[in-house]
Amino acid sequence: MPFPGGIDANANATLLFSLAAAVIYAFSLGMPPRLSRSAARTLAVAMLAVLVVQQSGPWLLVAALGVSAVGDAFLSRDGEKAFLGGAASFLAAHVLYVVLFLRAGGGLGLLLAEPWRAAIVLAMVVLVLAMVFALRRRVGPALRLPIGLRVAAILAMGIGALTLSSAWVIGGVALLILSDGLLAAEKFLLPAISPHRAWMRHAVWALYYAGQLAITLGFVLG
């Protein structure tokens, strides 16, 4: 177990609770929206926030995970209002992550001091611009501003993560970015009857949860 004590230690039990909720939600992805499914998705990340509190981790991380859990509650439901609520929640979570990373990292000057970091930033900018170009004709007017703001926040989050030395956190943010990219492609670029939707939804959830978990462990195991 990653934390001192056995399976009954508070931190280890909380982590297992979070993992169990994530697995339960993954198996319920093909089912109609129900309260139990929403609870599983929400608890998966909410319990990570509880874990950070137990380990006296940064309050900004607790806030980012808590707001992400609210976004998960929205996205566990169907409809445009739920999607907008989720988008707004995750925008707030990304902003909190940006502040957390910049406060904990070595400063933006590190991006220029180490060429590999600058190369990753350049690759992220290219990928984000490509996604924006692909989405611009597929997204309705009501969604363009929230999606544009979220894309900017995702890019800022990626840049902020690269000011840190933790491979866990950098890798976790990369997984979140991949998850967001797949989600956008599944929702806006694929035909409604595409056979790829099922596996993409599972991949979006797996990448997203793994990203949140990696960021959490990067800070609490430090």
Side-chain angles (χ1 to χ4, degrees):
M1 302 302 290
F3 300 99
I7 194 173
D8 56 341
N10 285 342
N12 291 324
T14 300
L15 179 59
L16 288 174
F17 193 154
S18 171
L19 288 167
V23 171
I24 290 171
Y25 179 73
F27 278 102
S28 68
L29 270 171
M31 301 178 184
R34 305 169 77 174
L35 181 59
S36 57
R37 194 181 81 158
S38 297
R41 175 163 183 164
T42 305
L43 283 171
V45 174
M47 294 310 294
L48 294 179
V50 173
L51 177 62
V52 178
V53 172
Q54 291 173 339
Q55 297 299 301
S56 301
W59 70 267
L60 280 168
L61 179 57
V62 176
L65 290 168
V67 174
S68 294
V70 173
D72 287 326
F74 277 115
L75 292 186
S76 67
R77 316 303 294 179
D78 289 335
E80 188 170 300
K81 288 184 178 180
F83 178 79
L84 288 173
S89 299
F90 283 114
L91 173 61
H94 293 333
V95 171
L96 288 167
Y97 272 133
V98 171
V99 177
L100 171 64
F101 297 158
L102 292 180
R103 289 183 61 176
L108 294 175
L110 191 60
L111 302 179
L112 299 177
E114 299 184 17
W116 68 269
R117 297 178 189 266
I120 294 177
V121 169
L122 180 60
M124 286 195 303
V125 170
V126 171
L127 287 173
V128 165
L129 289 177
M131 180 58 71
V132 169
F133 181 79
L135 291 175
R136 66 190 181 95
R137 293 184 179 178
R138 303 291 187 94
V139 175
L143 294 176
R144 286 175 187 165
L145 178 58
I147 289 177
L149 290 173
R150 186 172 176 185
V151 166
I154 290 170
L155 181 59
M157 183 176 65
I159 293 171
L162 285 166
T163 67
L164 297 165
S165 59
S166 171
W168 279 96
V169 176
I170 294 173
V173 171
L175 291 174
L176 290 185
I177 292 173
L178 286 173
S179 175
D180 278 322
L182 269 181
L183 176 63
E186 185 267 329
K187 188 165 185 66
F188 298 112
L189 300 181
L190 286 185
I193 59 172
S194 172
H196 297 293
R197 285 187 176 273
W199 74 260
M200 288 180 74
R201 287 172 181 166
H202 283 86
V204 165
W205 174 247
L207 290 168
Y208 164 78
Y209 178 76
Q212 297 280 31
L213 178 61
I215 292 170
T216 300
L217 294 179
F219 275 96
V220 299
L221 295 178

